Amino acid sequence: MIFYNGKIHTQDEQLPVTEALLILNNKIVQVGSNTAIQALATPDMTIIDLKGRVVLPAFTDSHIHFYEWALNYDGIDLSTAFSFKEMEEAVADKVTNLGKGEWILGNGFNESDWPENKMPDRYDLDRIAPNNPVCIWRCDLHLGVANSLALKFAGIGSKTPDPPDGKIEREADGKPTGVLRELALNLIKDAVPSLSEKIIFSNMVKAMTELHSLGITSIQDVRLMGGLDGADSLQSFQKLNEQDRLNIRCHVSLPGEMTDEAINIGLRTGYGDDRLKIGHLKFFADGGMGARTAWMLEKYVDAEYGMPLTSVKDIESAVSKADGAGLSVMVHSIGDRANREIVSMFERIEETNPERPHIPHRIEHVQMIRPEDLEKMGQLQSITTSCQPNNLSLDISMIEMAVGDKSQYTYTLKSILNNKLPLILSSDAPVCDPNPFMGIFSAVTRKRMNNTPEKGWHMEQALTVEEAVAGYTIAPAIASGVKNVLGSITPGKFADIIVLDKDIFSIDPEQIKNIKIDITVFDGQIVYEKS
Ligand SMILES: [Zn+2]
């Protein structure tokens, strides 16, 4: 296959921009000028005239809850409910399509951006769906709201104690309000009937197809708190791979709770084949700012300090063991207190074990961090920062309500780069829309999807388009130990490339979120073409 007459931004310093490339089988074998590459054409080749369009290495989403996203692929998408009323309408709509007693699950509501700014409770959902169990998850996945029937099926009543690391919100008399935080949500998950393997696999294939249409061909599938889905997700990815249906390159993360098991059987991060590899062990230092469970140095404007989810001492002992065994870790850390503690933890680990892992450890989100801690983090030998710019545009109002004038310490993407830290970008879907162009738009303009605030939000932390694109291409390849085969358009690497319908480097930044993919090539095959 030959692509010519394009603006090929290779992400390779040897030849940053070129016109044409040649793919044989699943590899890029040559890049260069139109004349040089066209001279290599043979009659059996597919020849594609790019007509001046931009080509990039295909995107990596470095933090996506792909498995959970696929499981809920048929659930209600509440990220497009822009008011309390629209949320109610979306749930009501589902009720009319389902039989009595069938579960209704929804994802992605963001009450802090609704004009009503009101958290739903069980009674609101009971009014709309009296005969169906309902549970809807907030966009950050740290909080959900269940109706009375769902609470009943999950066995959650006035006398149910809060589970460890979870909270059941209650009325004065102890009766649950329907609002569940952190691991209390697993009581609901346990009560929802499981899907058949056939549905799970067909949903995973649908989800992969959607990612191809967004230019994504590599992912890091990340575990949620509690690690309940660890074995199921890894099994499902392996079975799809055996059936040649895994059309994506995937690092599957493991639950931190399984550190000892992983060490005892000798697993190492990066083990696997070209499509499926063992990823990082996932730990949680704290919760989320929207649920006020992120762990803060100073009190929230409207709440206490949040909380550590797993104690730093427990994380540290697991990470020390994993570090010595070739297992890299990713630690979810949002609040400025959590980030201070986790940076100090990695300092101690690097001191006690000077041998660095072959694939760097990661801190996930780094959503609020003080400059002095970021500076310390920049001194670490082997840390990647993993940030979610799509979240930024969702979080502006919530963060101002939660931390007021300390919002300058949140989403400090430019300071991360200024401290010479590797920065990888991702969607955290289903927390946010998986579209990388929305992420690049957010990182560059620091605006909501409706282009507010007009001048952007803390613009001193804005990235350039080039920096944001690197966060979805070459940076993740380096961070996950696959830079010899992925991340840039370089001869010898896998032919995972995308063709954009507009020039991302010259377009008005507000328009970046509207860019569409024309063609996605994965492993040398066209897997998506805009009709
Ligand atoms: Zn996540």
Side-chain angles (χ1 to χ4, degrees):
M1 189 160 21
I2 282 180
F3 288 85
Y4 72 102
N5 198 16
K7 278 186 223 144
I8 302 174
H9 290 258
T10 62
Q11 300 291 308
D12 182 339
E13 287 165 8
Q14 300 295 321
L15 181 66
V17 184
T18 187
E19 294 171 332
L21 65 91
L22 169 66
I23 295 170
L24 285 180
N25 300 316
N26 64 346
K27 294 275 174 65
I28 297 158
V29 295
Q30 196 72 264
V31 294
S33 68
N34 290 330
T35 34
I37 299 297
Q38 281 174 307
L40 304 170
T42 57
D44 56 338
M45 282 184 190
T46 306
I47 314 268
I48 296 177
D49 180 358
L50 291 162
K51 297 181 181 137
R53 286 173 295 179
V54 164
V55 175
L56 293 174
F59 293 133
T60 296
D61 191 327
S62 297
H63 182 132
I64 177 169
H65 302 280
F66 179 88
Y67 186 69
E68 288 72 19
W69 181 51
L71 285 192
N72 289 319
Y73 208 77
D74 302 321
I76 317 171
D77 176 13
L78 293 172
S79 65
T80 52
F82 297 110
S83 65
F84 193 92
K85 195 159 163 283
E86 284 183 25
M87 176 278 293
E88 290 181 307
E89 286 164 2
V91 177
D93 193 50
K94 197 79 177 172
V95 173
T96 55
N97 292 316
L98 289 177
K100 265 190 190 178
E102 282 192 70
W103 276 85
I104 295 175
L105 302 173
N107 269 303
F109 77 85
N110 184 8
E111 84 297 338
S112 59
D113 264 356
W114 292 344
E116 300 93 342
N117 190 18
K118 169 174 142 57
M119 180 66 76
D121 62 22
R122 66 192 290 177
Y123 306 107
D124 296 315
L125 298 177
D126 284 350
R127 262 196 312 280
I128 322 163
N131 301 314
N132 296 77
V134 182
C135 188
I136 57 172
W137 269 258
R138 194 178 183 282
C139 55
D140 59 7
L141 301 179
H142 292 277
L143 179 153
V145 186
N147 74 346
S148 298
L149 211 51
L151 293 169
K152 189 178 144 201
F153 288 162
I156 302 172
S158 307
K159 298 208 170 63
T160 312
D162 285 346
D165 297 324
K167 191 160 173 42
I168 300 167
E169 295 287 320
R170 297 165 201 276
E171 294 163 22
D173 62 355
K175 202 171 164 198
T177 64
V179 175
L180 304 168
R181 286 174 203 269
E182 306 297 346
L183 287 202
L185 284 159
N186 282 354
L187 298 169
I188 297 281
K189 284 188 191 170
D190 290 342
V192 178
S194 43
L195 298 174
S196 71
E197 194 169 271
K198 197 167 159 235
I199 293 184
I200 293 174
F201 287 2
S202 91
N203 282 4
M204 287 174 83
V205 169
K206 281 190 232 168
M208 277 187 265
T209 307
E210 183 174 340
L211 294 186
H212 291 158
S213 75
L214 299 171
I216 298 167
T217 61
S218 291
I219 57 170
Q220 299 258 345
D221 178 57
V222 175
R223 301 281 63 78
L224 292 174
M225 181 86 188
L228 282 180
D229 58 342
D232 290 347
S233 57
L234 189 52
Q235 284 264 356
S236 300
F237 279 111
Q238 288 177 83
K239 285 187 187 171
L240 275 185
N241 201 18
E242 287 158 19
Q243 298 169 14
D244 284 330
R245 294 162 78 196
L246 190 65
N247 278 324
I248 206 155
R249 303 189 200 281
C250 182
H251 284 74
V252 182
S253 89
L254 306 173
E257 290 85 344
M258 296 287 152
T259 302
D260 286 339
E261 286 85 344
I263 293 172
N264 288 342
I265 58 168
L267 279 182
R268 288 167 66 86
T269 299
Y271 172 71
D273 62 21
D274 292 336
R275 301 215 173 180
L276 184 60
K277 289 187 195 294
I278 296 295
H280 292 58
L281 282 160
K282 175 82 187 284
F283 294 89
F284 286 83
D286 64 349
M289 260 192 236
R292 306 294 188 266
T293 49
W295 192 22
M296 307 301 251
L297 288 168
E298 293 174 49
K299 278 187 188 177
Y300 288 99
V301 171
D302 52 1
E304 293 296 304
Y305 294 91
M307 58 185 188
L309 275 188
T310 315
S311 80
V312 178
K313 204 168 137 257
D314 289 353
I315 298 177
E316 184 163 358
S317 95
V319 173
S320 308
K321 282 190 276 184
D323 189 64
L327 281 157
S328 309
V329 304
M330 43 168 51
V331 184
H332 164 118
S333 183
I334 300 239
D336 51 2
R337 173 76 192 270
N339 279 308
R340 176 161 297 177
E341 299 283 343
I342 294 304
V343 169
S344 305
M345 179 195 83
F346 278 118
E347 274 186 331
R348 291 191 294 275
I349 284 171
E350 290 198 355
E351 269 163 33
T352 45
N353 183 9
E355 197 185 315
R356 292 296 80 230
H358 62 303
I359 292 172
H361 298 306
R362 301 169 34 160
I363 305 184
E364 300 304 307
H365 311 303
V366 199
Q367 214 174 82
M368 182 163 180
I369 186 162
R370 300 300 175 112
E372 58 270 34
D373 296 316
L374 206 46
E375 218 169 285
K376 265 189 173 182
M377 198 169 151
Q379 302 301 314
L380 293 168
Q381 299 301 306
S382 178
I383 279 288
T384 298
T385 46
S386 164
C387 297
Q388 291 70 35
N390 307 47
N391 261 338
L392 181 159
S393 52
L394 274 186
D395 279 352
I396 295 174
S397 311
M398 181 278 287
I399 287 178
E400 303 222 308
M401 280 182 243
V403 301
D405 58 7
K406 288 188 288 294
S407 65
Q408 59 175 306
Y409 302 124
T410 63
Y411 290 101
T412 55
L413 303 184
K414 194 71 170 192
S415 299
I416 288 171
L417 288 181
N418 289 344
N419 279 287
K420 305 266 180 292
L421 281 155
L423 173 64
I424 55 177
L425 302 176
S426 57
S427 71
D428 209 1
V431 172
C432 283
D433 195 300
N435 185 347
F437 295 111
M438 289 187 180
I440 297 169
F441 159 85
S442 299
V444 170
T445 68
R446 298 183 66 99
K447 293 180 181 183
R448 298 183 188 86
M449 288 302 143
N450 64 6
N451 296 328
T452 63
E454 202 189 326
K455 296 212 161 67
W457 188 63
H458 300 297
M459 286 306 284
E460 70 282 4
Q461 295 293 350
L463 298 186
T464 64
V465 177
E466 287 77 6
E467 288 165 342
V469 167
Y472 288 95
T473 53
I474 186 67
I478 296 169
S480 51
V482 292
K483 70 168 189 297
N484 293 333
V485 288
L486 285 174
S488 68
I489 299 177
T490 304
K493 292 197 180 185
F494 285 120
D496 294 1
I497 63 163
I498 49 178
V499 180
L500 279 54
D501 73 345
K502 295 191 191 69
D503 185 348
I504 190 166
F505 299 104
S506 66
I507 200 175
D508 168 10
E510 280 191 4
Q511 295 301 323
I512 290 175
K513 60 181 180 298
N514 303 321
I515 295 177
K516 298 279 183 287
I517 294 292
D518 276 350
I519 301 173
T520 300
V521 175
F522 170 67
D523 214 36
Q525 303 285 326
I526 294 178
V527 290
Y528 172 78
E529 204 166 1
K530 192 164 73 184
S531 53

